[in-house]
Amino acid sequence: MSEWTLYEVFIRSKHGLNHKHVGSVHAVDAEMAIENARDLYTRRNEGVSIWVAPSAAITATASDEKEPLFDPSEDKVYRHASFYELPDEVGHM
Amino acid sequence: MYAQQVETGTKAVKSLAEMGPEERAFQEKIDAEIKIEAKNWMPDNYRKTLIRQISQHAHSEIVGMLPEGNWVTRAPTLKRKLQLMAKIQDEAGHGLYLYSAMETLGADRDEEIEKLHSGRAKYSSIFNYPTLNWADMGAVGWLVDGAAIVNQVPLQRTSYGPYSRAMIRICKEESFHQRQGYEILLHMMRHGTQVQKDMVQDAINRLWWPSLMMFGPSDAESPNSAQSLAWKIKRHTNDELRQRFIDQTIPQLELLGCTVPDPDLKWNEERGHYDFGEIQWDEFYEVLKGNGPCNRERLETRRNATQDGAWVREAAVAHANKKQKQQAAA
């Protein structure tokens, strides 16, 4: 079955959220990948839209890049709403 | 347990001080309950153990469809037939979620399936028992899926991310299986004839001990447990899970008005658990070795299905290639 391609599957639930990665399927082409993903990942109304992409086409961050990529955001606490202290009189903001 | 006696390839669990820097960082992540993901560094034996455990788990789901497939054409009503087909379809799905998790470790699905077909890979001992009457469909759902749930609920917290996520999805779907099984039995016990009630008791008599064996050998006979627990691939010992299963199942058994074939079963007030009799481990090891009542038949069915379906897979590839050429030409 080496000619079958591995596809990653993304599903959008009916609640209007983003497509979310759910797993993978093997298929001969994208159309079959959608059909297989339908059977495998939406047996109980889990989705209203499916994306499939060949696994080989996905570029991902490497685990050893974790620090240079994500550390810069760690020391910027002022990007969070909770950083700003306001008096109680302001109420909910 | 759907995976039994998974070899870890290690003789003794290393302490943090005995580990090199990479392995120590890995173990510290596990100790801190941080999930290991596909691209993270992991010890070779951790990877191999996971491939063995997840593939065995997946094979169990796939072979587990066979004892039930026997009853699709024999289900007593259309409603029961539809339920049974939905359950079997779920099991195919569970097998595929698990193969998909296994492939993130670099294993090849076809190769692992070939190991199953050639008898080199194991699957749960329970599926080597025959399903002889309709009540077996109830007892399988209630006891076998029940035991699987007890095993799988803690596996949602297993240390390997893709395996954990597959287990979360599986557990969501699994409770339907157990409830439909119990409902079959309850219906037979409350509305059935004496003959039908006897069928229920007969099914329980045959499947009770094999269900307890699903959790694998006792802790004293599980040389691999310590390492699997240290890696948090497993979260509880075999005996802990077996006891949990018995404790939660006996009240359901009493509600059915049935018994289990164990004269030593009784509530132990002091322990707060049920005591139970000795499991026939000789039988368990014989089934694992391939000498259970249905081992040969199960593998033959799997091999035939793969062979008979070969032309469909070849045709699908040929069709995809043709379409691609036509699109390129247009």
Side-chain angles (χ1 to χ4, degrees):
Chain A
M1 212 165 76
S2 51
E3 290 176 78
W4 290 47
T5 307
L6 188 66
Y7 287 85
E8 299 299 323
V9 180
F10 304 82
I11 299 221
R12 180 155 58 77
S13 72
K14 57 180 163 219
H15 309 299
L17 297 174
N18 295 337
H19 283 77
K20 194 175 156 196
H21 182 247
V22 292
S24 57
V25 291
H26 289 259
V28 291
D29 58 17
E31 191 187 333
M32 185 184 186
I34 294 260
E35 285 163 5
N36 288 353
R38 196 273 318 253
D39 289 346
L40 188 55
Y41 293 108
T42 64
R43 288 195 302 283
R44 290 180 176 81
N45 291 320
E46 287 94 337
V48 290
S49 165
I50 301 176
W51 290 350
V52 293
S55 307
I58 290 177
T59 309
T61 57
S63 58
D64 54 5
E65 289 173 340
K66 192 167 156 266
E67 285 173 15
L69 274 176
F70 302 114
D71 275 6
S73 79
E74 254 183 32
D75 56 3
K76 295 177 181 60
V77 284
Y78 47 84
R79 284 180 173 166
H80 295 276
S82 57
F83 178 77
Y84 300 91
E85 280 181 32
L86 300 179
D88 289 345
E89 298 93 279
V90 178
H92 180 74
M93 183 184 275
Chain B
M1 177 123 173
Y2 271 15
Q4 297 155 330
Q5 288 209 302
V6 179
E7 173 64 43
T8 57
T10 56
K11 288 196 182 71
V13 178
K14 282 190 215 165
S15 69
L16 283 177
E18 291 169 290
M19 295 174 184
E22 273 178 322
E23 189 171 358
R24 193 177 316 138
F26 163 84
Q27 187 64 47
E28 279 168 354
K29 257 167 100 173
I30 287 186
D31 293 343
E33 300 287 331
I34 298 171
K35 294 271 180 269
I36 306 300
E37 296 296 338
K39 289 188 159 191
N40 297 156
W41 186 91
M42 60 185 84
D44 213 29
N45 278 330
Y46 175 83
R47 182 186 300 276
K48 286 183 183 154
T49 302
L50 273 172
I51 292 173
R52 273 191 288 263
Q53 172 153 339
I54 302 174
S55 62
Q56 207 185 113
H57 199 154
H59 298 333
S60 298
E61 296 282 357
I62 299 299
V63 178
M65 294 192 280
L66 303 178
E68 293 176 326
N70 189 38
W71 285 93
V72 170
T73 55
R74 298 174 175 86
T77 64
L78 181 60
K79 180 182 88 170
R80 294 296 184 197
K81 181 172 174 162
L82 289 171
Q83 291 168 348
L84 190 59
M85 288 196 297
K87 181 173 188 282
I88 294 171
Q89 197 189 16
D90 272 356
E91 276 145 13
H94 296 175
L96 290 171
Y97 303 156
L98 288 160
Y99 284 129
S100 160
M102 179 198 77
E103 286 183 296
T104 64
L105 292 156
D108 181 83
R109 188 170 83 180
D110 292 342
E111 267 175 47
E112 297 304 319
I113 290 175
E114 171 46 34
K115 283 184 199 163
L116 168 72
H117 291 177
S118 61
R120 284 176 296 152
K122 282 184 287 207
Y123 55 90
S124 179
S125 54
I126 190 71
F127 301 117
N128 292 310
Y129 291 86
T131 46
L132 301 177
N133 73 47
W134 171 248
D136 285 28
M137 288 303 94
V140 164
W142 173 47
L143 296 174
V144 175
D145 288 84
I149 291 171
V150 168
N151 166 47
Q152 290 175 159
V153 164
L155 280 178
Q156 294 177 100
R157 295 185 296 115
T158 194
S159 60
Y160 186 58
Y163 191 26
S164 154
R165 292 190 283 273
M167 292 318 309
I168 290 170
R169 185 171 272 277
I170 288 173
C171 283
K172 261 190 211 158
E173 299 177 350
E174 199 79 71
S175 75
F176 138 62
H177 297 184
Q178 195 186 16
R179 289 171 68 107
Q180 70 89 34
Y182 193 69
E183 197 212 31
I184 287 174
L185 299 183
L186 204 58
H187 189 83
M188 289 174 86
M189 291 306 291
R190 294 200 168 160
H191 307 285
T193 62
Q194 190 54 46
V195 176
Q196 289 167 330
K197 289 177 190 177
D198 292 346
M199 278 162 71
V200 174
Q201 186 58 58
D202 173 57
I204 296 172
N205 288 349
R206 283 180 288 105
L207 288 165
W208 176 249
W209 290 108
S211 298
L212 298 188
M213 291 176 197
M214 285 174 69
F215 296 93
S218 67
D219 295 347
E221 301 295 325
S222 304
N224 302 304
S225 279
Q227 183 63 73
S228 279
L229 288 167
W231 281 333
K232 296 191 181 171
I233 292 178
K234 271 171 88 161
R235 305 297 313 228
H236 299 280
T237 70
N238 298 350
D239 286 337
E240 280 167 13
L241 293 174
R242 187 166 17 243
Q243 183 73 60
R244 186 179 296 177
F245 171 70
I246 293 171
D247 290 348
Q248 73 183 42
T249 302
I250 298 304
Q252 297 161 1
L253 174 85
E254 286 165 355
L255 188 72
L256 281 178
C258 293
T259 58
V260 288
D262 180 359
D264 296 323
L265 184 103
K266 65 169 191 296
W267 177 251
N268 183 326
E269 190 65 50
E270 205 175 310
R271 287 202 312 128
H273 293 292
Y274 282 93
D275 290 336
F276 55 98
E278 191 66 34
I279 292 172
Q280 297 302 306
W281 291 114
D282 292 350
E283 176 184 323
F284 171 74
Y285 290 113
E286 277 306 306
V287 175
L288 274 201
K289 264 192 266 172
N291 302 323
C294 299
N295 294 58
R296 284 172 195 81
E297 187 193 322
R298 298 289 185 240
L299 285 187
E300 200 181 294
T301 308
R302 281 294 316 149
R303 283 193 293 263
N304 289 344
T306 308
Q307 258 166 30
D308 294 348
W311 71 271
V312 179
R313 295 191 297 277
E314 283 160 22
V317 172
H319 180 67
N321 288 343
K322 190 177 83 180
K323 262 199 319 192
Q324 213 174 10
K325 266 186 211 147
Q326 282 169 346
Q327 275 165 3

